[in-house]
Amino acid sequence: MLTLVAFIVALGLLIAIHEYGHYRVAVACGVKVLRFSIGMGKPLLTWKRAGSDTEFVIALLPLGGYVRMLDEREGAVPADQLHQAFNRQPLRKRAAIVAAGPLANLLLAVVLYSVVNWVGQEQPQAVIAAPKVGTLAEQMGLRGGERVQSVQVGQDAAVEVESFEELRWQLTQAALNGQDATLTWMGAEGNDLAQGVMRLSTLAQSSLDQTALKRIGIDAPWTPPVLGEIIAQTPAQTAGLQVGDVVIAVNGRTITDGTQLRELIKSAAADESLRDQAWRVERNQQLLTIRVQPDLVSTPDGEIGRIGAYVGGRPEMVWVQKGAFEGLALGIRKTWEVSLLSLQMIAKMLLGQASLENLSGPLTIADYAGKSAGLGLTQYVLFLALISVSLGVLNLLPLPVLDGGHLMYYLWEAVTGKPVSDPWMERFQRVGIALLLVMMSIALFNDLSRLGG
């Protein structure tokens, strides 16, 4: 139920803001708006405001909306209202009305990111977990427990890192741009600062997808190797493990954090030497040796080991909050960066440099809406900001059926002095609809694959 409510609220808000952008600028330009609809299909609720001829509608299907304006191409227009028809407006006004929808979504993202910055949120500190063998982090000498202080991408100025999320964001952008990143960190023992270069430029461009950070080796913050909830009738309970046990070593391997311990447990399926594990555990200031035999479980990613316990404590946290001007500036910057990141991913997918599996449809969005809402209001607001940017960027793409396609028509009109002819407009519309249907089909297939897996 939470997922459904969060999804409907998200779609309703983002669509309303998008269509309100079109509506507000149309009214400001003197164009008569006949209908403002949130949703498609059969109207569920209809009303008019005093002194306005616009019919406001909430329709049955929440997957879209529209603003219907007075236009001679859609029907006869009384002579005394011709000056209010959309098609009679000068080019600059028509372009402004069309662009206002996507820009409204981008403006909403700025507001939402800024609000989160002003209110503040608790985030994991930029202390990294032990990276897997062979990852870029492991190759540059990181072992886990290091606290990253700053990141310098290419020849840009070094950026101070306040949280793990900021660290992930900086590395993701650097990877997409094919640039190396210089990290400065404090060692796990709190010793002097150290520095190293992460060779992100060596990543194959075809590998830049949702799992890129796993190849980089920095995909989770450091957590203490402590056990949480123990599930009944599982290897953890059978072995005698208890909540609060701190794991010191497994089969003689020193354990430094929860991520490392989870990977050792999972590896039991592929490594026979880990099928029977000797755990060195600290409990009530006493050291114990406990033998643990993980169950082997089949998953969509292959067979892994599991013990039936929550592994890893709470990461070290930091409160991140900004002042009025800094929070707004960061909100604008984050919206700009996410927009560029979205365009880069779209370009890489078109060029075959990134997997089409990155396309997501309504089922994935609904799933993430429910998950983010379950984590609290701040995470839900950040989810709304991300989807709002995506909606704004998507609608600015030069596809004929989208706002960006209409802006391309107006660009042609501005350059040539005459509008695109009706026959060519019809052809472009058919091509645009076909491309959009292909994109939607791929996105829906990806949704079903993710949720089904």
Side-chain angles (χ1 to χ4, degrees):
M1 179 58 72
L2 176 63
T3 296
L4 179 61
V5 172
F7 179 59
I8 292 176
V9 170
L11 274 187
L13 174 63
L14 299 181
I15 291 171
I17 291 295
H18 181 93
E19 301 304 338
Y20 184 76
H22 291 310
Y23 166 78
R24 187 67 264 166
V25 175
V27 171
C29 289
V31 174
K32 183 175 182 178
V33 178
L34 303 177
R35 174 177 281 192
F36 179 109
S37 178
I38 305 302
M40 309 292 285
K42 181 180 179 181
L44 298 178
L45 185 62
T46 303
W47 74 95
K48 287 187 177 182
R49 296 189 304 186
S52 173
D53 293 329
T54 303
E55 181 183 44
F56 293 88
V57 175
I58 296 178
L60 178 63
L61 301 176
L63 299 177
Y66 61 90
V67 172
R68 182 177 297 158
M69 291 171 275
L70 192 66
D71 195 313
E72 290 178 284
R73 295 169 299 181
E74 297 185 5
V77 176
D80 62 338
Q81 295 182 16
L82 286 174
H83 66 287
Q84 294 180 294
F86 175 82
N87 65 291
R88 290 290 183 107
Q89 304 306 309
L91 180 60
R92 67 179 185 279
K93 288 189 176 182
R94 283 179 282 139
I97 293 169
V98 170
L103 293 180
N105 284 122
L106 297 177
L107 180 59
L108 173 64
V110 170
V111 172
L112 294 177
Y113 281 131
S114 299
V115 167
V116 171
N117 291 332
W118 295 330
V119 173
Q121 60 175 321
E122 197 175 39
Q123 298 182 10
Q125 292 189 12
V127 181
I128 67 169
K132 291 182 180 179
V133 175
T135 59
L136 296 182
E138 190 267 342
Q139 291 171 7
M140 66 182 291
L142 297 174
R143 294 294 176 261
E146 294 89 353
R147 187 184 305 273
V148 179
Q149 306 286 317
S150 66
V151 176
Q152 180 182 4
V153 178
Q155 300 302 315
D156 296 340
V159 176
E160 182 181 349
V161 174
E162 288 190 274
S163 68
F164 189 80
E165 290 304 315
E166 176 67 16
L167 173 61
R168 283 167 55 99
W169 177 250
Q170 293 293 335
L171 295 179
T172 299
Q173 292 187 95
L176 283 170
N177 291 324
Q179 294 179 290
D180 295 334
T182 301
L183 276 60
T184 301
W185 65 83
M186 181 76 71
E189 297 78 19
N191 49 15
D192 295 337
L193 290 177
Q195 198 172 70
V197 178
M198 181 171 284
R199 303 294 181 185
L200 296 168
S201 59
T202 62
L203 285 176
Q205 290 297 298
S206 60
S207 71
L208 295 179
D209 53 23
Q210 293 177 334
T211 62
L213 284 178
K214 293 188 180 295
R215 298 183 182 92
I216 294 170
I218 298 181
D219 58 338
W222 180 89
T223 58
V226 62
L227 298 184
E229 180 184 0
I230 307 292
I231 301 175
Q233 298 180 343
T234 61
Q237 186 190 56
T238 302
L241 294 171
Q242 296 182 11
V243 174
D245 284 350
V246 179
V247 183
I248 307 299
V250 173
N251 287 2
R253 305 184 196 183
T254 301
I255 301 299
T256 58
D257 70 271
T259 299
Q260 180 190 19
L261 178 56
R262 286 193 294 272
E263 290 303 320
L264 276 177
I265 295 170
K266 290 180 180 179
S267 298
D271 188 344
E272 290 188 8
S273 67
L274 294 173
R275 302 283 173 84
D276 185 9
Q277 301 178 357
W279 287 29
R280 192 68 170 161
V281 172
E282 182 182 345
R283 179 188 299 166
N284 299 326
Q285 299 181 337
Q286 291 185 337
L287 291 178
L288 306 173
T289 298
I290 299 176
R291 305 206 72 84
V292 182
Q293 294 181 322
D295 283 337
L296 304 185
V297 180
S298 295
T299 72
D301 297 324
E303 196 173 42
I304 62 172
R306 283 183 180 166
I307 65 168
Y310 189 89
V311 178
R314 190 170 187 262
E316 297 181 33
M317 308 297 286
V318 61
W319 184 259
V320 179
Q321 186 175 20
K322 305 296 180 182
F325 294 108
E326 186 182 9
L328 176 60
L330 288 175
I332 295 172
R333 191 188 81 177
K334 187 62 177 286
T335 301
W336 173 254
E337 290 175 343
V338 174
S339 299
L340 287 181
L341 184 65
S342 300
L343 288 173
Q344 285 177 313
M345 287 302 299
I346 291 171
K348 288 182 182 296
M349 283 189 285
L350 290 175
L351 295 173
Q353 296 177 347
S355 173
L356 291 175
E357 292 179 359
N358 289 287
L359 283 176
S360 297
L363 297 181
T364 296
I365 294 173
D367 184 46
Y368 278 106
K371 288 179 178 177
S372 62
L375 293 173
L377 182 59
T378 297
Q379 293 303 315
Y380 185 60
V381 170
L382 290 172
F383 163 79
L384 289 177
L386 177 63
I387 300 301
S388 192
V389 172
S390 300
L391 184 60
V393 170
L394 176 65
N395 274 280
L396 286 174
L397 294 179
L399 286 176
V401 291
L402 301 177
D403 295 327
H406 290 282
L407 292 175
M408 291 298 294
Y409 297 154
Y410 299 151
L411 178 60
W412 170 267
E413 185 176 343
V415 171
T416 64
K418 55 184 179 182
V420 178
S421 65
D422 289 339
W424 274 107
M425 184 85 75
E426 186 177 344
R427 294 188 189 103
F428 287 142
Q429 290 294 103
R430 284 201 292 264
V431 172
I433 291 173
L435 290 174
L436 198 59
L437 287 174
V438 169
M439 290 173 58
M440 292 174 62
S441 299
I442 295 173
L444 184 59
F445 176 80
N446 290 340
D447 284 357
L448 295 173
S449 298
R450 292 188 193 106
L451 299 178

